[in-house]
Structure formats: C-alpha cells, structure tokens
C-alpha cells in the first residue's frame, strides 16, 4: 500500500510539472502569435488547421459532450430543476455549468467513484463485504460531493459579496451625489470595480436593457445572493423607488448600517477567538507543558520509591 501511494504521488508530481511546462509554452506561443498576426496580418493556413483538427481528439470530445448535454437538456418544469438552476446561479455558475451539465457531472461521478473504490478494494484484496462497503462509500461520495461543492461555492460567493458591500455602497452614493442617475451610477461603479456585487449589478443592468423592469432586475440580485445585508439594500431601493424617496439618503443610511454591522461582526469574531483557542491549548499545548514540567519529577519520584 505504501509503495502504491508513493508511486501515485510521484506520478501526479511529474504530471503537474509536465502540465506546467506545457502551459507556459502554450502561453508564450499564443502571445507571439497574437503579436505577429497584428503586425503582419498573416493567419494560419486553413489546410494546416484542418490537418491539425483531423488528428486531434478535441472535436471528438466536443461532439460527445454536445450530444450528452442535449440528452440531459430535456425541458423540465418541475420544482427540483428550478431549485437546482437557482442554486447554480447563487454559486455563480461554476465552470459555466447549467442544470443539464450539472446532472451529467453528477451521473459521471456516481459511476466513477464506485469504480475507483472497488478498484482500490481489489488492489488491497479485501473481502466481498468490503467490496460492497467501498461501493456504497463511492455512491455516497458521488451523490454528496457535487452538492457540497455547490454549497461551498454559494457560501464563498456570499462572503465575498458581504465584504464588497460597504465600498460598493460608498462609491454608489458618491456617484449619485455627483449628479448621476441610478442606472448611470451603477454603470460607473461596475466599470471601476470587479467582484461578485459588480458582476451581479452588471447583469441587472443588462436585464434592464433587454426589457426587464428595474424592480425585477433588482429582485433577481436579491434571489442570487444569500446575504441579508444585500437583501435589505435591495428592498430599501425598491421601496424608495416606489414611494419616491431620495435614493442618496437611503443609500447613505444603508452604508452606515452596513459598516456598523461589519464592526459588530468583527467584535463578535474577536470575542469568539479565546474560546476557539481553548481547544488546541487543552489538546496540544497543555499536555506538552505537563510532559516537560512534570516529566522529570515523575521519573525521579518513581526511581525513589522503586
């Protein structure tokens, strides 16, 4: 078992070095190609491109992936598919996945993990009951890991949005005070900043340009970000627009509240730190101190009464 683990580690390490080197060469080649194409206006011969594509496996994989995606892209209007699509939107559509791609990844992992576990069991030569147990573990991993990954992406994205919110609100308030309209202020802030919140508001602007109302676009942001502060902000903006209240005043109040809440979260985290430090102290540091301080005395005590 130890030799197998060592062999897998060395193989993955060598593969990583080879991939890193190949990626570096590819980037250098792409930069040189772009520079020389801009200067000379010379493009690659279509016959050479066709010959390269003929001996490449990439079109084959693209063809197979396209047909598998079409197979899973049946029109489903049930609640599970709508909830899954909303979860993917909340996670930021990792790897550009839609519901069909995610279902396909789930099915692939549901097949690969049990096979890998059974193969591992065959290598270590376990009993038949062990094979069934490993297959069950692989099935559980194949079902649980994709959903766990989506939950983690949603959590990370929500934390990033919460971290970006105070600065985003300040810039939006300053832009409105400078005389811009609400859409113009959002467009200006989105152009100057990058992150989760700017991307969501940029998507809302695009939806408004495509015909959605401002209220619908903002409610879409509220549904895609699981952050209470963002939901409160969107509700305040929608209500201010409905009642005709000044947007600058509303955003200024929201900015002060968000900064006060951030200060309270920092104080809460600081108060939790001593309690979290207690467990490693008791489990790791105190036993070592006891061994160093009381060890010689205990040895001398034993030798005296021996």
């Amino acid at each position: 078992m130890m030799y197998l683990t060592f062999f897998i580690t060395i193989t993955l390490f060598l593969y990583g070095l080879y991939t890193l080197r190949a990626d570096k060469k590819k980037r250098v080649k792409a930069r040189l190609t772009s520079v020389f194409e801009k200067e000379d206006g010379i493009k690659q011969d279509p016959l050479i491109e066709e010959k390269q594509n003929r001996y490449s496996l990439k079109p084959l994989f693209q063809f197979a992936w396209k047909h598998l995606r079409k197979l899973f892209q049946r029109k489903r209007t049930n609640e599970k598919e709508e909830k899954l699509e909303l979860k993917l939107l909340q996670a930021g559509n990792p790897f550009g996945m839609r519901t069909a791609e995610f279902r396909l990844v789930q099915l692939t992992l549901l097949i690969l993990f049990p096979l890998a576990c059974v193969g591992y069991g065959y290598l270590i030569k376990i009993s038949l009951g062990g094979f069934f147990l490993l297959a069950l573990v692989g099935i559980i991993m194949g079902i649980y890991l994709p959903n766990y990954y989506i939950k983690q992406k949603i959590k990370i994205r929500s934390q990033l949005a919460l971290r970006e919110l105070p600065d985003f609100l300040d810039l939006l308030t300053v832009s409105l005070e400078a005389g811009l309209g609400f859409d113009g202020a959002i467009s200006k802030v989105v152009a100057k900043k990058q992150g989760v919140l700017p991307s969501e508001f940029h998507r809302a602007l695009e939806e408004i340009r495509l015909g959605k109302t401002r209220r619908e676009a903002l409610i879409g942001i509220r549904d895609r970000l699981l952050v209470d502060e963002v939901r409160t902000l969107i509700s305040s903006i929608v209500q201010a627009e409905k009642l005709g209240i000044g947007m600058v005043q509303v955003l200024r109040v929201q900015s002060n509240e968000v900064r006060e809440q951030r200060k309270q979260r920092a104080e809460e985290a600081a108060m939790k730190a001593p309690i979290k430090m207690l467990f490693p102290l008791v489990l790791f540091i105190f036993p070592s101190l006891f061994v160093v301080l009381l060890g010689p005395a205990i040895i001398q005590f034993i030798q005296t009464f021996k």
Side-chain angles (χ1 to χ4, degrees), residues 281-296:
L281 278 173
V282 173
L283 293 176
F284 301 108
I285 298 176
F286 283 166
S288 303
L289 287 175
F290 291 151
V291 169
V292 172
L293 296 177
L294 301 179

Side-chain angles (χ1 to χ4, degrees), residues 121-140:
Y122 177 76
L123 289 175
I124 62 176
K125 297 180 180 179
I126 61 174
S127 61
L128 184 62
F131 275 112
F132 283 111
L133 182 62
L134 284 177
L136 180 61
V137 170
I139 292 172
I140 293 173

Side-chain angles (χ1 to χ4, degrees), residues 65 69 88 91-98 101 105 149-150 153:
W65 177 259
R69 188 173 61 184
L88 291 174
N93 288 110
F95 304 104
M97 285 191 300
R98 308 297 296 178
E101 285 89 347
V105 169
Y149 174 75
I150 293 298
K153 291 292 290 184

Side-chain angles (χ1 to χ4, degrees), residues 239-250:
Q239 189 175 5
E241 184 181 6
K242 183 178 180 180
L243 300 177
I245 303 173
M247 198 70 70
V248 177
Q249 183 181 358
V250 172

Side-chain angles (χ1 to χ4, degrees), residues 11-25:
T11 305
L12 291 176
F13 178 73
L14 293 176
Y15 178 73
L17 290 178
Y18 173 76
T19 306
L20 184 64
R21 186 177 178 186
D23 184 59
K24 187 176 179 181
K25 287 184 178 180

Side-chain angles (χ1 to χ4, degrees), residues 85 87-98 157 203:
E85 186 175 0
K87 282 186 178 181
L88 291 174
L89 288 173
Q90 291 169 353
N93 288 110
F95 304 104
M97 285 191 300
R98 308 297 296 178
R157 198 162 180 266
R203 177 170 182 164

